């Protein structure tokens, strides 16, 4: 079931829904027919098949549907190929890159699966072979198949150069603590990290951090580069008025953030949006992941009566 809201009705309709009161050329809100206890984190869209993929924190699996919410299926069964609780995902060509982590510190494991979209078969898998605590959170893939991965429990960024089987430390710096979202410029020149200090711009070749990050640009989960600007979901502030979907305007050299603008304000109906994807000029994200109703240590839903159907928001990237 999908509601399409035009510019004339957007203010009234969204206010009645308890969502937002912003102005946009077109906004769509789509009901997703997955199980209510999915607890999704990562999202990726395949532009060729027009399919959306969501992973599950609770069930260690990946599901898919068409962009209108129909044809929902299980793409990767629970724990198949040793998949763990789902985190960042992205798609390049016919490959879905999917990160997973164990949710408890006493069972510290992380994994990256490369899955063929057309068949669901495993292309490759990677894990970190050390005993330190790590949390592989999000990833970006360059045009020559370099995979860059954030570790939100350290100061490290990892790198895989396909077809290598090795996951190596690309960058380890106190300037980029607990990085979460990561994205790469369209010419592969710069990496952008959503760190605890704010958004850091890294020259991909030299590995140098070339900007001075600002703390007011922190609390970011998902981060994407699109048309020479950055977009990010901010959900990490205790003052919830600071959270929302933001655009971060870059200078012409794409090395500094000039300003930020909140595109969507997260009201009470937004239950911890996390990551997002951009396809055909539109931003897609689940507005109610319901993470606040999930205990990762016990893998239990806190209140089954409060579970609700998931909704996906589609909004133009401005």
């Amino acid at each position: 079931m999908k509601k399409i809201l035009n510019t004339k009705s957007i203010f009234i309709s969204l206010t009645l829904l308890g969502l937002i009161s912003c102005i946009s050329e077109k906004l769509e809100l789509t009901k997703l027919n997955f199980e209510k206890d999915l607890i999704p984190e990562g999202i990726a869209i395949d532009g060729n098949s027009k399919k959306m993929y969501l992973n599950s924190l609770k069930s260690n699996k990946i599901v898919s549907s068409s962009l209108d919410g129909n044809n929902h299926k299980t793409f990767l069964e629970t724990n198949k190929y040793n998949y763990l609780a789902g985190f960042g995902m992205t798609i390049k060509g016919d490959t879905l890159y999917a990160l997973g982590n164990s949710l408890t510190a006493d069972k510290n494991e992380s994994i990256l699966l490369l899955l063929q979209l057309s068949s669901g078969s495993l292309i490759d898998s990677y894990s970190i072979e050390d005993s330190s605590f790590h949390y592989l959170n999000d990833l970006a893939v360059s045009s020559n198949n370099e995979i860059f991965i954030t570790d939100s429990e350290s100061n490290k960024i990892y790198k895989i150069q396909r077809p290598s089987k090795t996951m190596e430390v690309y960058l380890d710096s106190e300037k980029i603590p607990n990085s979460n979202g990561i994205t790469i410029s369209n010419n592969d020149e710069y990496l952008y990290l959503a760190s605890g200090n704010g958004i850091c711009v890294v020259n991909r070749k030299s590995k140098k951090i070339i900007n001075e990050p600002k703390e007011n640009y922190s609390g970011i989960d998902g981060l994407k580069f699109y048309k020479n600007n950055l977009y990010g979901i901010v959900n990490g502030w205790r003052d919830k008025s600071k959270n929302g979907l933001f655009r971060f305007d870059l200078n012409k050299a794409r090395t500094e953030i000039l300003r930020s603008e909140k595109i969507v304000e997260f009201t009470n109906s937004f239950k911890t949006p996390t990551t997002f994807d951009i396809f055909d000029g539109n931003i897609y994200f689940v507005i109610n992941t319901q993470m606040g109703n999930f205990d990762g240590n016990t893998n239990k839903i806190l209140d089954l009566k409060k579970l609700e159907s998931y909704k996906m928001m589609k909004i133009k990237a401005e």
Side-chain angles (χ1 to χ4, degrees):
M1 182 175 130
K2 178 167 64 178
K3 292 188 178 182
I4 301 176
L5 309 175
N6 59 34
T7 52
K8 293 182 180 179
S9 63
I10 190 168
F11 181 87
I12 297 173
S13 298
L14 291 178
T15 301
L16 290 173
L17 283 168
L19 296 174
I20 59 174
S21 56
C22 68
I23 301 296
S24 177
E25 290 182 1
K26 178 184 279 191
L27 183 147
E28 294 182 11
L29 191 65
T30 302
K31 179 181 176 182
L32 303 177
N33 294 311
F34 301 118
E35 60 268 36
K36 292 181 179 181
D37 64 350
L38 187 70
I39 315 296
E41 203 281 349
I43 181 172
I45 293 174
D46 178 21
N48 293 320
S49 65
K50 309 297 190 298
K51 286 183 179 180
M52 171 193 63
Y53 294 81
L54 290 176
N55 57 26
S56 172
L57 281 173
K58 183 180 184 297
S59 301
N60 299 8
K61 68 178 186 177
I62 301 173
V63 298
S64 69
S65 75
S66 54
L67 291 179
D68 61 6
N70 294 318
N71 304 312
H72 52 285
K73 298 178 181 178
T74 297
F75 175 74
L76 182 72
E77 298 285 348
T78 296
N79 299 326
K80 190 173 183 180
Y81 305 130
N82 298 316
Y83 192 52
L84 299 165
F87 280 76
M89 294 197 301
T90 194
I91 289 173
K92 185 173 183 290
D94 190 38
T95 302
L96 174 66
Y97 301 74
L99 289 171
N101 294 280
S102 55
L103 295 180
T104 54
D106 62 329
K107 297 179 181 179
N108 182 37
E109 295 179 86
S110 296
I111 194 167
L112 169 64
L113 298 183
L114 275 61
L115 302 165
Q116 189 174 51
L117 287 173
S118 55
S119 66
S121 60
L122 180 68
I123 299 171
D124 218 334
S125 67
Y126 296 83
S127 59
I128 301 175
E129 297 180 358
D130 63 48
S131 58
S132 60
F133 185 59
H134 41 73
Y135 228 72
L136 301 184
N137 207 315
D138 209 352
L139 73 165
V141 184
S142 73
S143 61
N144 65 338
N145 292 319
E146 295 170 296
I147 308 170
F148 297 93
I149 306 169
T150 59
D151 181 353
S152 61
E153 289 295 328
S154 76
N155 303 323
K156 295 178 182 178
I157 306 298
Y158 291 93
K159 174 186 168 184
I160 301 166
Q161 175 63 76
R162 292 282 295 159
S164 170
K165 292 289 293 180
T166 303
M167 184 184 297
E168 62 185 40
V169 175
Y170 165 78
L171 186 61
D172 187 353
S173 172
E174 293 181 354
K175 295 181 179 180
I176 56 166
N178 311 109
S179 292
N180 190 333
I182 182 172
T183 189
I184 190 168
S185 59
N186 57 349
N187 62 358
D188 294 337
E189 188 171 2
Y190 301 112
L191 286 170
Y192 303 91
L193 310 175
S195 80
N197 288 335
I199 299 174
C200 295
V201 184
V202 180
N203 183 290
R204 183 185 61 86
K205 289 184 178 180
S206 69
K207 305 180 185 180
K208 290 183 179 180
I209 300 168
I210 58 176
N211 74 321
E212 290 294 332
K214 300 177 181 179
E215 287 188 4
N216 57 320
Y217 296 154
S218 59
I220 299 171
D221 199 328
L223 188 68
K224 295 288 184 184
F225 179 93
Y226 180 72
K227 288 191 174 180
N228 296 328
N229 287 312
L230 298 175
Y231 290 81
I233 283 182
V234 178
N235 60 19
W237 292 96
R238 289 185 179 179
D239 180 357
K240 293 185 179 181
S241 67
K242 295 183 179 181
N243 295 331
L245 173 64
F246 284 77
R247 186 185 69 241
F248 301 94
D249 295 341
L250 295 169
N251 62 0
K252 289 185 179 180
R254 293 172 290 186
T255 56
E256 293 284 346
I257 299 165
L258 301 177
R259 66 189 68 86
S260 68
E261 181 180 351
K262 185 185 291 189
I263 300 172
V264 177
E265 180 178 356
F266 292 168
T267 65
N268 290 334
S269 293
F270 287 76
K271 297 181 175 70
T272 323
T274 55
T275 57
F276 64 101
D277 207 353
I278 302 178
F279 167 65
D280 198 25
N282 295 299
I283 298 169
Y284 294 83
F285 65 99
V286 177
I287 71 169
N288 58 334
T289 67
Q290 304 175 80
M291 284 190 183
N293 194 19
F294 175 64
D295 186 341
N297 291 316
T298 62
N299 200 44
K300 300 290 186 181
I301 301 297
L302 299 177
D303 190 340
L304 292 171
K305 294 180 180 179
K306 290 184 178 180
L307 286 174
E308 58 189 46
S309 298
Y310 296 102
K311 301 180 184 69
M312 181 176 67
M313 180 170 283
K314 168 186 171 184
I315 187 168
K316 284 285 184 184
E318 299 176 357

